[in-house]
Amino acid sequence: MRARSAALLALSATLFVADVVPTAATNQAFAADPQLSVILPRGARRGTEATFTFEGNRLKDAAEVLFYEPGAFEVLSITPDEKQGDKKVDVVVKIAPDARVGEHVVQLRTANGLTEFHTIYVGALPEVDEVDPKDAPNTDPAHAQKLTADHFKEVGGVTVSGKIENEDLDHYAIELDAGQSLAVEVEGIRLASTENNSVDPAVEVLDLEGRELAASDDTPITAADPVVRFTAEETGTYLLRIRDAEFKGNGRGYYRMHVGVRPEAFPRPLAVYPAGGPVGEEVEVTFIGDPHGPFQQTVTPVAGRTGDQTGQVYAVRDGAPSPSALPFRASEFPNLLESEPNDERTAATRAPGVDKYLAAVEAAKEKAKADGGNADAIKKAAEAVKAEAFGGMAFNGILEEQGDVDHFAFVGKKGQSLRFDVFGSRLGSPIDPELRILAWDGRGLKSGGDRVGLDAREDFSLPEDGVYVVEVHDHLKRGGENYVYRVEVSSPVRTPTLSIPRYGRYGQGRQRVVIPRGSSFATRVTISRDGLGGDLAIDAADLPEGVTITAPTVPSNQSTWPVLFTAAEDAPLGGTLTELRAFAADKPEMLTAGPDQRAAYASSIIEADLVRYNNQGTLWPVEAPAVAVAVTEKLPFSIEVLPPTTPLVRDGVLDVQIKVHRDEGFEGDIKLEFPQRTPGIGCDYQRTVKKDEDTAVYPLNANDKAALGTFPFYVLAFAGLPNELNGVEYGGGTGLCSSKLVDIEVAETPFTLKLAKGAVQRTTSTAITAELENAEFKGTATVTLKGLPEGLSCEPVEVTAETESFVFEIAATEKAPIGTRKGLLAEVTLPNVGEDGQPIADGEPGAGARVFTAGRTDLRVDDAPKKPEPKTTDAEPKVAKAPEKPKPLSRLERLRREAAGLPTDSSEGDTNR
């Protein structure tokens, strides 16, 4: 199941930054590249003041806490730990009484950077910490920690915060009356306490004899976390045991266990039905699977700020919310709820218009029959009944028992393209749905499953006007009260998004924007267009003071594009949560269309895998609906890319010239990267500028199919920072900045060469002819044959646009390697010329040269010819040999010769007469 982070509910488009002066105030900057690994405790009760400890590295100058949801938190103080201030910071927070319960995304800003975003949890129940003394550990059931009536007195429930160590078993004792129900939900994996998950909590209800009465490991609605429902048959003491499912655990195995013993504590349903509704319209839903029975509630769907815009709802009973939300779809079309029985196609639950259409078809057939028409005439009459285009609908159902199959019918128009999108596992349902699309007469048209995770999705163009049937069943024919699903059938719903690509496979590196004062930070953004065509403009809302954005128009054929953020030298240190948006360049009014207009513009989503499983998959991804942007202290270095004076031509190379500026005293190596490359452009991954260098060259190359045009590029620079320099304490870490955006033109080659293949013998020479093709250039080009090994040489040749052909003169020595040399390159250097047609001198404005490969050829090298053997004068004279006797003729040959009138006497050597 996909994460549905707190900030993604679109409860408000506003984001919140809590800015306070740290208790240990300082005018100096610390801690470039801060890192946040965990926040402890992992949660707190709403309506209280709580102290959270942010743990990581280089946190001493923490200045701001960035929350992704407004109004829920007020930061009262930020205090570095006295002993470990660089690794721990205490943040005192006042949590609003009406703060939404569940997961909240948070980031920390320091004077010189932004941490990764992480999460904290807000609960509605009184909080109790696990007590696990060494002399009486609660691993032993006899020392189970008691959850007494006093704990449950206020609201009938309590939240227990604990930790699972290796092979740990935590026991809690609870008194229950006969018939009393117990509800338990655990937040464990979802807490994301460790990035590489090592704790998978499981919960069991035991009697005092240790017999298991109820248990849960993974529950679909809560991802991999357990939910337990239990009703006591007898009055007495019961044990709650929480452990790792595989008896693992470590020092980061934190959990929050919500325990309710009365209905008013909290509801914990396993499903909501229907699982969605029209945006902004009230929908009556039923929550299913609560230990105290199903109950109804009226909700208003709101599009979530996630990749697929799924929102959430909370089950609320007697004013108490469920500990966590349930996924809930918000669509642009109405609901249709299944009406049982609909196991058969002919008993399908019918959308509005089906009965009317079928009646019209029957009426047409009856009329044709009454007019005396034959079977063909009756068929044509039925086919002549036209259907209106299907406007979209969400079919909702529950596979309530094993083997259950549901059918829905609707009317569609020939040629209409529809998307059939099944939401099941994405909504926390245990279903593994399979989809079939049928004609009304039972013909199978399309089927599928497992397109989006376990969920089915099919795009299909209707072949004719008529009634169509949607069939849904579980892959393994399973069913149950919480096997809820939703099939959204409509023209494909477009949900364009904008994101910053990950730097590396995991983590959030460079997915946040950190701009040093007086410098720049550029990043690539990736736009999932999903129907958002044409040229796009990009803007940013709510940037920090003193920050500007430079965003060139994104061409229609590009989906990844650079964006530059620049901070003024006097920009105040500070940060905001910024929404990046991409929209049609000629329709800026789309930005005011509102969050429910899904296809109006692409809004920023930053996704992070907060929990992974052995680096093999994601257990808990979280999507944040904004980009954190911060202004930090000036870095002791910066870079400048000199605009190229020549284009990068196809099949060519271009040396990008870079200047490095260092503050006095900064002598570290600086690494360079060239992240933005359009299709067909390549370069080295990194280049290093040594401490005694102030210039660098970054070579780019283009293949013969590189996209033509002018494109913006930039170079990133990063370097290790000292602890202190020029009165600024950096505390180590890595400083990162970028150049300004620079346009590079990618052009077609000025000409190509048609090269003949060649062959040469050692100690000789040969000529390879070359013909110029499509030559359109000014000045004189130098053509050099590249790739010749030792023992082969060839002088460069100069050509002009008027040159039709020329030859490469190749000389081979006795050391030339024998064999065929494939792929020799004809490399061209074409200097820029002035108005007089002469090359522009180095150092003058516009100086430079285009360098490219104009052609390729092969050369075969053979051994040198053998010299004739010299004549000798002292050799013995040769003795003439006697003539050999002629070979006797066969009888057949004698007859042939006689017939031809040729001699056949004995001088021929015939002895066979």
Side-chain angles (χ1 to χ4, degrees), residues 13-142:
T14 307
L15 301 171
F16 176 68
V17 177
D19 184 4
V20 301
V21 177
T23 303
T26 175
N27 293 323
Q28 295 177 319
F30 296 88
D33 187 29
Q35 297 174 352
L36 177 62
S37 56
V38 71
I39 304 171
L40 298 176
R42 296 299 298 116
R45 188 184 186 186
R46 63 184 180 181
T48 65
E49 287 188 10
T51 299
F52 292 99
T53 299
F54 288 61
E55 296 187 4
N57 286 303
R58 296 180 288 278
L59 302 178
K60 191 172 184 179
D61 61 337
E64 278 182 301
V65 181
L66 282 68
F67 291 99
Y68 281 71
E69 190 167 328
F73 304 93
E74 179 187 354
V75 176
L76 303 179
S77 65
I78 300 175
T79 309
D81 185 86
E82 292 184 1
K83 296 183 179 179
Q84 302 182 65
D86 199 39
K87 297 181 179 297
K88 292 184 179 182
V89 174
D90 291 333
V91 179
V92 180
V93 175
K94 185 177 182 180
I95 306 174
D98 59 350
R100 182 187 50 77
V101 301
E103 181 186 64
H104 290 258
V105 179
V106 62
Q107 264 175 295
L108 194 63
R109 184 189 70 80
T110 69
N112 252 17
L114 283 166
T115 69
E116 305 87 339
F117 66 72
H118 217 290
T119 59
I120 58 176
Y121 277 70
V122 172
L125 305 175
E127 301 269 337
V128 175
D129 290 333
E130 174 194 8
V131 178
D132 192 16
K134 292 183 179 180
D135 57 346
N138 63 2
T139 299
D140 184 352

Side-chain angles (χ1 to χ4, degrees), residues 310-373:
T310 295
Q312 294 177 320
V313 295
Y314 284 85
V316 179
R317 183 177 55 213
D318 299 329
S322 53
S324 57
L326 293 82
F328 197 76
R329 291 286 298 166
S331 64
E332 299 173 359
F333 29 78
N335 278 342
L336 178 66
L337 307 188
E338 70 165 321
S339 177
E340 293 282 8
N342 65 346
D343 287 20
E344 301 295 331
R345 171 182 52 81
T346 54
T349 300
R350 299 183 179 186
V354 172
D355 290 337
K356 181 180 178 180
Y357 180 84
L358 292 176
V361 169
E362 288 302 318
K365 291 166 65 177
E366 289 298 326
K367 185 178 184 305
K369 188 183 298 182
D371 292 342

Side-chain angles (χ1 to χ4, degrees), residues 230-253:
F230 171 71
T231 300
E233 294 185 358
E234 301 177 354
T235 299
T237 302
Y238 294 84
L239 295 177
L240 264 180
R241 180 167 69 191
I242 182 169
R243 59 177 175 82
D244 180 79
E246 298 180 354
F247 294 96
K248 296 179 181 178
N250 62 21
R252 293 290 192 190

Side-chain angles (χ1 to χ4, degrees), residues 143-442:
H143 299 144
Q145 183 174 340
K146 294 182 179 180
L147 301 179
T148 67
D150 287 341
H151 289 119
F152 299 107
K153 182 178 180 180
E154 182 182 349
V155 293
V158 69
T159 296
V160 180
S161 294
K163 181 170 63 175
I164 300 174
E165 303 284 359
N166 188 37
E167 298 183 355
D168 195 7
L169 303 173
D170 289 351
H171 291 87
Y172 299 90
I174 301 178
E175 299 289 333
L176 296 176
D177 294 332
Q180 188 175 4
S181 293
L182 172 70
V184 178
E185 176 182 343
V186 175
E187 293 156 347
I189 285 180
R190 290 174 292 170
L191 295 183
S193 300
T194 57
E195 186 177 12
N196 219 339
N197 183 66
S198 57
V199 174
D200 179 11
V203 173
E204 300 147 316
V205 181
L206 313 172
D207 63 17
L208 292 180
E209 301 299 322
R211 289 185 291 267
E212 182 183 290
L213 305 177
S216 175
D217 179 3
D218 300 338
T219 304
I221 198 67
T222 55
D225 283 335
V227 171
V228 170
R229 302 174 297 168
F230 171 71
T231 300
E233 294 185 358
E234 301 177 354
T235 299
T237 302
Y238 294 84
L239 295 177
L240 264 180
R241 180 167 69 191
I242 182 169
R243 59 177 175 82
D244 180 79
E246 298 180 354
F247 294 96
K248 296 179 181 178
N250 62 21
R252 293 290 192 190
Y254 298 103
Y255 62 83
R256 285 172 57 81
M257 182 169 62
H258 308 286
V259 182
V261 296
R262 295 199 304 270
E264 66 269 24
F266 60 84
R268 183 57 274 177
L270 300 180
V272 57
Y273 178 78
V279 174
E281 297 183 15
E282 290 188 346
V283 178
E284 189 76 20
V285 300
T286 300
F287 289 102
I288 302 166
D290 185 80
H292 299 282
F295 61 96
Q296 283 72 44
Q297 184 177 322
T298 299
V299 301
T300 302
V302 177
R305 297 178 66 186
T306 60
D308 64 5
Q309 297 190 333
T310 295
Q312 294 177 320
V313 295
Y314 284 85
V316 179
R317 183 177 55 213
D318 299 329
S322 53
S324 57
L326 293 82
F328 197 76
R329 291 286 298 166
S331 64
E332 299 173 359
F333 29 78
N335 278 342
L336 178 66
L337 307 188
E338 70 165 321
S339 177
E340 293 282 8
N342 65 346
D343 287 20
E344 301 295 331
R345 171 182 52 81
T346 54
T349 300
R350 299 183 179 186
V354 172
D355 290 337
K356 181 180 178 180
Y357 180 84
L358 292 176
V361 169
E362 288 302 318
K365 291 166 65 177
E366 289 298 326
K367 185 178 184 305
K369 188 183 298 182
D371 292 342
N374 57 19
D376 286 342
I378 295 173
K379 180 180 178 182
K380 289 182 179 179
E383 293 174 348
V385 178
K386 298 302 180 182
E388 295 182 359
F390 184 61
M393 186 163 287
F395 303 140
N396 297 268
I398 307 174
L399 300 180
E400 295 180 299
E401 57 187 26
Q402 187 171 349
D404 194 3
V405 180
D406 290 345
H407 295 86
F408 299 86
F410 69 96
V411 179
K413 189 174 183 62
K414 179 180 179 179
Q416 188 175 7
S417 295
L418 297 176
R419 172 166 290 179
F420 297 75
D421 205 350
V422 183
F423 288 85
S425 64
R426 283 177 285 175
L427 300 180
S429 173
I431 190 175
D432 181 1
E434 292 202 349
L435 169 74
R436 293 184 68 206
I437 305 169
L438 310 169
W440 182 244
D441 59 10

Side-chain angles (χ1 to χ4, degrees), residues 785-829:
L785 195 61
K786 295 284 189 176
L788 293 173
E790 182 182 1
L792 293 169
S793 61
C794 179
E795 291 297 320
V797 179
E798 291 187 345
V799 300
T800 67
E802 287 72 35
T803 305
E804 294 183 357
S805 64
F806 65 91
V807 296
F808 283 118
E809 296 287 348
I810 301 174
T813 69
E814 59 184 10
K815 294 183 179 180
I818 295 175
T820 300
R821 306 294 299 187
K822 292 183 176 294
L824 299 180
L825 306 179
E827 184 181 273
V828 178
T829 300

